[in-house]
Amino acid sequence: MNIEIKKGIFKVDNWKYESLKDMLFENQVESWLEEKRLEVEREELAYETYRVYESYNRNHWQDFFGKYDVRDIKYAQIKEFARFKMEGKSKKMKRNILHALHTFFVWCKKNEVIKEMPEFEVIKGNDAKPRKALDYTSQRTAIGLIPLEYRDVVEFAFETGVRVGELCALKVFDINPDIPGLVVRRTYSGHRIKNNTKTNENRLIPLSDKAFFIAQRNMKDKTPEQWLFINPSTQRGYMPDYISKKIWRKYTDIPLTFYEASRHSFCTQLLENGVDLKTVQLLMGHRELRSTEAYTHIAIQKLLPYVNKRGKELKNA
């Protein structure tokens, strides 16, 4: 209110009881979430993103900001929230929570709920644990641990590097035998099929001999619209969590997530084999090259023994 008075934009009607109630954070954030839910229905927003926003609001924002008038939330309040409410959280988690909160305030500004965007606390540094990757031999060992009836879907993921949501959403007609190749057209978002990809673009992936052999075996006696991979336990298409948890986590003792063992390892192996970044970006379906560049540190680590060995040889010469 004081800020509006100083700037000469104060309006009495905006500060009456009913208006004040509407301006509470808890009410405005519900309106924002409802709009996000409608975006999910129109397939403009991933369902998983909506669930994350909902979770952040329920578990982090409401207790602190709920009874605040959104117009009164400034840098001081956001700084206090970041320092105390998120104590003990990783820096990555803090950044994600604040980024989502910033998205909410952008919506408030766009809808003229607030006149100015509040400044946000900057979380510096990175304490995220680096992802690990399997080499090709370790992947073959892992395949041997998987029961025979589940091996094809796991091995196909290893051979193509597709996201697990994309893997589960593959249909028979997505396989092009003439190349041979695979067209990624859709993915799972939560428990729903989303009829586009994470980058909203279809992408064509060439299939290795092994991947094409697996595809042909699973296409047999199926119509073009059927799922490429059928879960033998349910006789329906696979769900992402089933592969990640009920197959990978249950049958292997490898301390890597399925994402790390499949997609992350696929990308790392390509870089270690000398494939250039731009080509890897296309194969992985990364929207930006910097997403691909994040994998290069693992490939470079493989070169360290050679550098150290050279140093010792020079020293002994």
Side-chain angles (χ1 to χ4, degrees):
M1 183 186 293
N2 290 334
I3 293 174
E4 291 189 11
I5 292 173
K6 289 178 182 178
K7 292 191 173 184
I9 57 175
F10 174 75
K11 294 181 180 179
V12 174
D13 289 344
N14 290 342
W15 295 89
K16 290 181 179 179
Y17 176 75
E18 286 302 321
S19 295
L20 287 174
K21 188 176 179 182
D22 289 341
M23 288 295 184
L24 290 179
F25 179 93
E26 62 184 7
N27 294 326
Q28 287 297 325
V29 81
E30 284 302 320
S31 297
W32 174 67
L33 286 171
E34 175 60 19
E35 189 169 303
K36 294 301 169 187
R37 187 186 65 77
L38 294 174
E39 288 179 16
V40 171
E41 290 184 1
R42 296 193 299 267
E43 296 190 351
E44 297 171 357
L45 181 74
Y47 178 68
E48 289 173 331
T49 303
Y50 168 75
R51 289 292 301 274
V52 167
Y53 288 159
E54 199 176 41
S55 172
Y56 287 167
N57 178 50
R58 182 175 61 253
N59 298 321
H60 303 288
W61 300 341
Q62 277 298 333
D63 286 348
F64 190 90
F65 294 114
K67 298 302 180 183
Y68 268 95
D69 186 311
V70 288
R71 295 168 295 184
D72 291 336
I73 298 175
K74 306 299 178 186
Y75 174 74
Q77 287 75 35
I78 292 172
K79 181 179 179 180
E80 185 180 358
F81 170 74
R83 295 284 173 85
F84 300 107
K85 182 61 179 175
M86 295 195 293
E87 187 176 2
K89 299 284 188 298
S90 70
K91 290 179 180 178
K92 181 179 179 180
M93 175 62 81
K94 288 180 181 179
R95 268 194 292 269
N96 289 344
I97 293 171
L98 287 177
H99 182 268
L101 186 63
H102 184 273
T103 301
F104 163 69
F105 276 103
V106 168
W107 175 86
C108 288
K109 179 74 164 56
K110 181 180 178 181
N111 287 276
E112 299 183 347
V113 176
I114 58 175
K115 302 295 182 183
E116 293 181 351
M117 281 286 297
E119 291 185 35
F120 271 71
E121 178 81 345
V122 177
I123 307 297
K124 297 180 180 179
N126 184 12
D127 57 1
K129 294 181 180 179
R131 296 188 185 277
K132 298 179 181 179
L134 295 179
D135 58 27
Y136 187 76
T137 302
S138 298
Q139 284 184 322
R140 303 312 307 163
T141 301
I143 289 294
L145 300 173
I146 305 291
L148 190 61
E149 62 268 28
Y150 298 126
R151 283 185 191 174
D152 274 2
V153 70
V154 173
E155 191 166 11
F156 194 81
F158 285 1
E159 288 291 322
T160 59
V162 294
R163 299 175 177 92
V164 67
E166 297 168 344
L167 175 70
C168 295
L170 290 175
K171 294 188 175 183
V172 171
F173 75 86
D174 294 324
I175 303 298
N176 185 332
D178 297 329
I179 297 176
L182 160 69
V183 181
V184 179
R185 312 173 196 267
R186 69 196 74 78
T187 188
Y188 267 94
S189 178
H191 294 285
R192 303 179 183 183
I193 286 286
K194 181 183 175 185
N195 288 312
N196 51 33
T197 64
K198 185 177 180 180
T199 58
N200 295 318
E201 294 179 353
N202 293 350
R203 72 181 190 278
L204 177 64
I205 300 173
L207 294 177
S208 66
D209 292 342
K210 188 177 292 293
F212 186 48
F213 178 77
I214 293 171
Q216 285 181 307
R217 183 162 58 202
N218 285 270
M219 292 165 66
K220 190 176 180 181
D221 299 326
K222 289 181 182 175
T223 63
E225 285 289 340
Q226 284 186 283
W227 302 118
L228 179 61
F229 294 106
I230 299 295
N231 185 340
S233 298
T234 64
Q235 294 304 311
R236 296 194 294 268
Y238 281 97
M239 297 297 288
D241 279 354
Y242 195 97
I243 295 175
S244 300
K245 298 176 182 178
K246 294 190 177 181
I247 298 177
W248 178 254
R249 193 181 295 175
K250 179 178 179 179
Y251 293 111
T252 74
D253 56 358
I254 299 172
L256 273 72
T257 64
F258 185 70
Y259 170 83
E260 290 175 312
S262 56
R263 182 170 171 79
H264 187 74
S265 296
F266 180 82
C267 184
T268 302
Q269 290 165 16
L270 290 174
L271 290 168
E272 289 176 352
N273 288 338
V275 180
D276 65 274
L277 279 172
K278 193 66 179 176
T279 301
V280 175
Q281 179 189 10
L282 292 172
L283 289 170
M284 299 300 292
H286 290 153
R287 183 176 293 164
E288 298 181 8
L289 190 60
R290 65 182 180 183
S291 297
T292 313
E293 289 172 342
Y295 292 81
T296 58
H297 75 282
I298 297 176
I300 289 172
Q301 286 174 359
K302 295 279 187 177
L303 301 177
L304 286 175
Y306 297 100
V307 176
N308 292 328
K309 182 179 179 181
R310 176 180 174 274
K312 290 176 182 177
E313 288 176 349
L314 288 174
K315 186 176 180 180
N316 295 331

